[in-house]
Amino acid sequence: MNNCVVLLGPTAVGKTSLGVMLARHFGWDIISADSRQVYKGLDLGSGKDLSEYTVKEKLLDGTERIVKIPYHLIDITTLAEEYNVFKFQSDFYKLSRDFLEQKKVPFVVGGTGMYIDSVARGYDFVPVEENKELRLSLEKKSLEELDNILLSLKPNLHNKSDLLIRERVVRAIEIETFMQSEECKEYRKTLPERPKLSCLLLGTTVPRDILHGNIKIRLRERMEQGMIDEVKNLHESGFSWERLEKLGLEYRFVSEYLEGKISSKEDMEEHLYHAICQFAKRQETWFRGMQKKGAAISWLPCVTDKEERFKAACEIIEKNVQL
């Protein structure tokens, strides 16, 4: 029997609302697996939708009760820091240990593929400091040479996009070199034991035309709610355009519009819409890749009816999770 549940899927398929329904039903907290929702101030663009974690319930006497679903790993740091998959995994394991001690099931909801994969398949991470001597030896090598070095160290590379950006390749070589060192072996002996987890992976999505429609509607709503002002305020509070652009999607395109790199608001919205659709496709590709590498994902019915997906999820959970 599994002792952890993960609800995954591409953007704009209603993961948060379904996750809240399941959390309320089983009495769980929600652990967010979203690489941008960890940052304070990234609200509209990251789709936090914090209001969804508050549920109104009707009582038998006709009155209403407000129920707040506890959530974790949202608004835990600022853009001044760089949050990453290693930090997510560490934070997740700490929360999981606490929940298991309380006889509660860790419940993860999100769409950041690498974050989810890191806990579903137990990526082997340790913190790695900058190796100035190694970086100096790599300084004059071409990107192709660096790629070959990385692949020789780590033939089964998780993220092939690392091979396209020089600074990422250098960092990946730095990490893998340390991981294979004696120093790393000694360091591992000091780490806390990982919680023993067996994850039930639930996948949810909707038909492609509905997904694209959801993306368009949500983008329009966020623009009306002030997403451009959100990005502008982040920049005015001291964060560079480069930092904001690196966040991708909404923050990248709105930043480029505010910088004058995109000529009109209409062009920006059109380019952003297509970029989000492409992102959703990449998420689905990532999840299929997880399956090919051995992660068993139980996909819920590909329908828009939330109640149907909720009932299907409950049935799978009740059969496969130690409640």
Side-chain angles (χ1 to χ4, degrees):
M1 296 291 281
N2 300 287
N3 62 353
C4 174
V5 177
V6 178
L7 177 64
L8 59 85
T11 189
V13 296
K15 290 188 299 298
T16 300
S17 58
L18 177 58
V20 165
M21 291 170 72
L22 291 169
R24 178 63 187 140
H25 181 75
F26 289 105
W28 296 339
D29 293 16
I30 289 177
I31 303 173
S32 169
D34 188 291
S35 62
R36 299 188 302 176
Q37 290 186 8
V38 295
Y39 294 112
K40 297 172 184 176
L42 272 61
D43 300 322
L44 294 171
S46 70
K48 284 176 187 167
D49 300 324
L50 295 181
S51 61
E52 291 197 43
Y53 293 90
T54 300
V55 181
K56 288 183 180 179
E57 290 185 348
K58 278 195 174 181
L59 302 178
L60 293 175
D61 62 4
T63 60
E64 284 188 341
R65 175 175 62 180
I66 302 297
V67 179
K68 293 187 176 182
I69 305 300
Y71 57 81
H72 306 268
L73 304 191
I74 295 177
D75 286 341
I76 60 170
T77 188
T78 71
L79 285 174
E81 295 187 27
E82 190 75 45
Y83 198 80
N84 55 37
V85 64
F86 169 74
K87 291 181 180 179
F88 169 79
Q89 189 191 57
S90 299
D91 289 342
F92 167 77
Y93 283 148
K94 183 178 185 303
L95 286 166
S96 295
R97 279 191 291 269
D98 293 343
F99 288 155
L100 293 173
E101 285 175 5
Q102 299 167 33
K103 307 298 182 187
K104 291 175 69 173
V105 173
F107 179 41
V108 181
V109 179
T112 299
M114 187 173 282
Y115 282 20
I116 291 168
D117 204 13
S118 76
V119 298
R121 297 196 299 122
Y123 284 10
D124 187 19
F125 285 133
V126 292
V128 181
E129 295 182 2
E130 184 176 314
N131 184 334
K132 292 181 180 178
E133 188 177 333
L134 175 63
R135 285 179 174 248
L136 189 62
S137 71
L138 300 174
E139 206 170 60
K140 295 182 179 179
K141 294 189 182 297
S142 67
L143 180 58
E144 184 179 359
E145 289 174 314
L146 292 172
D147 288 347
N148 290 333
I149 293 170
L150 177 57
L151 290 171
S152 70
L153 289 167
K154 193 172 185 180
N156 299 318
L157 190 64
H158 288 303
N159 190 4
K160 296 293 184 182
S161 65
D162 280 347
L163 298 172
L164 304 175
I165 302 172
R166 186 182 182 87
E167 62 182 26
R168 285 190 181 179
V169 182
V170 170
R171 179 58 179 161
I173 292 171
E174 190 171 55
I175 291 170
E176 197 57 33
T177 299
F178 178 77
M179 294 281 280
Q180 297 182 21
S181 69
E182 287 298 319
E183 184 184 352
C184 182
K185 289 178 185 177
E186 291 301 313
Y187 175 78
R188 286 183 191 284
K189 296 175 184 178
T190 69
L191 293 174
E193 186 179 353
R194 288 184 176 186
K196 293 178 181 177
L197 294 170
S198 175
C199 295
L200 171 66
L201 305 179
L202 296 176
T204 186
T205 190
V206 294
R208 186 61 57 85
D209 59 330
I210 301 295
L211 174 61
H212 289 177
N214 288 351
I215 291 170
K216 185 161 282 189
I217 291 168
R218 193 175 67 171
L219 178 56
R220 188 184 308 121
E221 289 174 347
R222 289 177 181 174
M223 285 295 176
E224 291 171 355
Q225 290 165 4
M227 193 161 69
I228 292 175
D229 286 337
E230 176 173 290
V231 178
K232 185 178 179 181
N233 291 338
L234 286 166
H235 177 65
E236 290 177 349
S237 67
F239 298 110
S240 69
W241 292 124
E242 182 183 13
R243 179 73 178 100
L244 295 172
E245 286 177 24
K246 280 186 176 180
L247 295 167
L249 295 177
E250 292 86 352
Y251 296 98
R252 174 194 158 197
F253 281 89
V254 173
S255 292
E256 290 179 347
Y257 165 66
L258 291 170
E259 291 175 88
K261 294 178 181 178
I262 299 176
S263 59
S264 69
K265 182 172 175 285
E266 291 73 23
D267 281 351
M268 181 268 289
E269 289 185 22
E270 185 66 19
H271 290 315
L272 177 52
Y273 164 71
H274 289 295
I276 298 172
C277 291
Q278 290 167 358
F279 172 65
K281 188 175 180 179
R282 289 197 301 274
Q283 286 177 295
E284 291 175 332
T285 300
W286 180 280
F287 298 137
R288 286 196 297 272
M290 283 176 57
Q291 288 179 290
K292 289 177 182 176
K293 294 169 185 172
I297 301 176
S298 299
W299 287 95
L300 304 178
C302 183
V303 295
T304 56
D305 189 325
K306 289 180 184 177
E307 196 63 35
E308 185 176 345
R309 286 191 279 170
F310 169 70
K311 288 179 180 177
C314 287
E315 186 176 335
I316 295 170
I317 289 168
E318 286 163 3
K319 287 181 179 177
N320 295 283
V321 178
Q322 187 177 338
L323 299 171

